[in-house]
Amino acid sequence: DGVSLSLLSRPSRMMLLVNPQSGKGQALTLYNNHIQRMLNEAGVTHTVVITERQNHARELVKETDLSQWDALVIMSGDGLLFEVINGLLERPDWEEAIRTPLGILPSGSGNALAASIHHYSGVPPVFSEELLVSCGFLLCQRLVARMDLVSIHVASSPRLFSFLSLAWGFVADVDIESEKYRHVGAARFTIGTLVRLASLHVYKGKLAYLPATEDYSIEEGLENNKTLHCNNQVSSLASASRPSRDSPCQNTFHNSCHSNNSLKAQRTESTPSRSATKALAGPSDSLLLPLDQPLPSDWVVVQEEDFVLMLAMYQSHLAEDLLAAPGATLDDGFIHLIYVRAGISRAALLKLFLAMEKGAHLATNCQHLVHTKVRALRLEPHSPKGIITVDGEVVEYGPVQAEVHRGLARLITG
Ligand code: ADP
Ligand code: MG
């Protein structure tokens, strides 16, 4: 199907959702000064929609006739893309809807995905307006690649989808406390980190995860491979990062994983009432059991229960200047789990964050830092109050679990 293939590879009718309040409140000026002419000269037909309030974009993409658009582009911070992705996955036609190519133009104070895309394009880091211009150029190239999403379960709110991070402890506290410094833009995280260091806490909880095996393949099987073919033909970037995914491989993971028969039975025979995914829109979470049930037996339980932070990342950047998961790629299918055990000194923690600007923190030999690749995780905080963030947004505090869905979304990466 040549026509739809070229549309997929070169989206040109874009809905551009602009959040005028994002970042320092300059998004419309930034659009006028940097983006409008660039898109027009590149022949990108686009319609600007100015978001009026929280959840406006989410409601809009839930209702809109997606056949009118080749791509949905967000000009804001990561928060607005979070709304759009969750809106798409709440639709009855979510399977089709989530294949809509998405784009991001950074005008927020938290622009982690934009920084990740810029990083994947292989050029040296740039910040603020230069990052915006870089992402504008990447958008004009209109090449689409797959992006991992992670489903997040908390105790009593509906399931969420996350494209960036799940955080608890130091990082989550900084993210939320630093909201009050948003007028300084991306520097809010640096200020917030210094403030938090002065009153360093220990966070108690139980952390467990399902380790990722290096050789596992895509989980969704045949159906997605069909789409994958299209993308492989049109996007060299996408195919280069994605080896050996031509076979339907629903079972590859189970086979390569420890052969635990009782667990297999548990997973494959789980009835709807046992499954963590009730009758919701969106893909089912085959690796998760309900939060009130014990962990599957092949999960690894972290022995320590005293932490300074837990950070699960699926893209490289936590903020414009924080390369938290240097090994992450757009659709590697991994949750890059990082945690810091309690007992670390303030000086050592500061050193970690300074090293993180260049992604060098994993090589510092810090005895308190652990990093590993996982496919799913569960965190049960012991303290009654606290902050958990998903893509920088606060979610219900309490037990939380996550499972990665490899390449579920599409992103214009240039
Ligand atoms: P930033 O990185 O600056 O925080 P975000 O993209 O994360 O930028 O946006 C923050 C929040 O602003 C989002 O949760 C979004 O729902 C909300 N929002 C969108 N449009 C508006 C608006 N017109 N007024 C206020 N808030 C808005
Ligand atoms: Mg990833």
Side-chain angles (χ1 to χ4, degrees):
D1 183 350
V3 176
S4 68
L5 189 70
S6 66
L7 286 179
L8 181 69
S9 64
R10 302 275 164 169
S12 81
R13 293 169 307 161
M14 297 185 184
M15 183 197 287
L16 179 53
L17 289 152
V18 182
N19 173 0
Q21 299 299 327
S22 59
K24 301 178 191 173
Q26 308 284 307
L28 282 171
T29 310
L30 290 169
Y31 168 78
N32 288 326
N33 292 350
H34 298 289
I35 299 301
Q36 185 173 33
R37 212 177 69 191
M38 194 191 289
L39 294 185
N40 288 340
E41 282 177 5
V44 177
T45 316
H46 62 285
T47 304
V48 173
V49 177
I50 299 173
T51 60
E52 287 161 14
R53 59 198 145 76
Q54 192 164 24
N55 284 324
H56 183 183
R58 189 178 188 141
E59 288 154 19
L60 198 83
V61 302
K62 247 180 107 167
E63 323 269 81
T64 200
D65 174 7
L66 291 173
S67 69
Q68 303 284 305
W69 306 103
D70 298 315
L72 303 175
V73 179
I74 281 80
M75 183 155 176
S76 187
D78 297 308
L80 201 66
L81 182 59
F82 179 77
E83 281 190 14
V84 166
I85 285 174
N86 281 283
L88 291 173
L89 282 161
E90 283 161 8
R91 293 170 59 113
D93 64 346
W94 63 269
E95 227 166 334
E96 196 60 42
I98 198 60
R99 291 188 188 133
T100 308
L102 306 172
I104 189 143
L105 293 171
S107 66
S109 58
N111 303 308
L113 185 65
S116 300
I117 295 169
H118 175 87
H119 173 70
Y120 302 148
S121 77
V123 294
V126 293
F127 307 100
S128 54
E129 288 182 37
E130 282 181 73
L131 180 62
L132 174 62
V133 170
S134 166
C135 288
F137 278 119
L138 294 174
L139 186 69
C140 287
Q141 294 177 34
R142 287 171 273 180
L143 291 175
V144 179
R146 298 181 66 137
M147 175 170 73
D148 295 338
L149 294 182
V150 169
S151 70
I152 308 273
H153 296 238
V154 291
S156 58
S157 319
R159 178 172 67 154
L160 293 169
F161 285 88
S162 166
F163 60 94
L164 206 54
S165 63
L166 168 68
W168 171 65
F170 191 88
V171 171
D173 288 3
V174 167
D175 204 352
I176 299 315
E177 285 169 6
S178 70
E179 286 277 355
K180 55 176 173 279
Y181 312 122
R182 57 184 302 121
H183 58 279
V184 302
R188 78 177 222 219
F189 298 108
T190 313
I191 300 173
T193 298
L194 295 174
V195 171
R196 241 305 131 185
L197 270 174
S199 60
L200 191 56
H201 281 280
V202 171
Y203 304 81
K204 290 180 182 295
K206 181 177 160 185
L207 177 62
Y209 58 83
L210 179 66
T213 50
E214 288 291 339
D215 60 340
Y216 93 88
S217 206
I218 195 166
E219 72 184 66
E220 292 104 324
L222 272 174
E223 202 193 339
N224 278 309
N225 278 324
K226 219 164 58 186
T227 326
L228 197 64
H229 262 304
C230 305
N231 278 348
N232 272 344
Q233 287 166 20
V234 298
S235 168
S236 57
L237 185 135
S239 58
S241 67
R242 206 187 304 116
S244 72
R245 276 179 157 201
D246 278 314
S247 55
C249 32
Q250 194 71 42
N251 295 317
T252 312
F253 173 69
H254 291 310
N255 293 343
S256 62
C257 180
H258 336 265
S259 60
N260 181 330
N261 288 327
S262 64
L263 177 80
K264 254 187 201 167
Q266 230 178 31
R267 287 199 185 136
T268 51
E269 289 164 19
S270 68
T271 60
S273 67
R274 275 183 65 76
S275 146
T277 320
K278 300 185 186 81
L280 299 169
S284 61
D285 293 315
S286 59
L287 304 176
L288 302 179
L289 291 173
L291 267 173
D292 57 6
Q293 289 182 25
L295 293 162
S297 58
D298 62 343
W299 284 43
V300 173
V301 178
V302 175
Q303 286 312 301
E304 300 86 355
E305 302 208 338
D306 292 338
F307 299 91
V308 162
L309 67 87
M310 193 261 349
L311 181 59
M313 301 276 307
Y314 351 118
Q315 300 304 333
S316 61
H317 280 67
L318 181 61
E320 282 184 41
D321 58 354
L322 290 176
L323 178 45
T329 61
L330 202 59
D331 69 336
D332 56 19
F334 295 128
I335 296 174
H336 298 256
L337 176 63
I338 298 168
Y339 60 89
V340 174
R341 294 191 287 249
I344 190 170
S345 68
R346 286 191 175 89
L349 189 59
L350 179 60
K351 210 172 130 192
L352 276 184
F353 275 92
L354 293 175
M356 202 183 277
E357 283 177 31
K358 297 205 158 51
H361 54 297
L362 302 181
T364 54
N365 259 332
C366 172
Q367 298 302 306
H368 292 90
L369 175 76
V370 180
H371 67 103
T372 184
K373 292 178 199 164
V374 309
R375 294 203 66 203
L377 63 87
R378 184 188 286 186
L379 170 72
E380 293 164 86
H382 294 326
S383 56
K385 277 202 282 188
I387 295 174
I388 294 174
T389 59
V390 170
D391 300 352
E393 310 285 313
V394 180
V395 297
E396 180 189 330
Y397 183 76
V400 57
Q401 60 181 359
E403 170 175 344
V404 63
H405 291 271
R406 190 174 188 177
L408 182 60
R410 306 288 180 277
L411 190 73
I412 304 173
T413 52

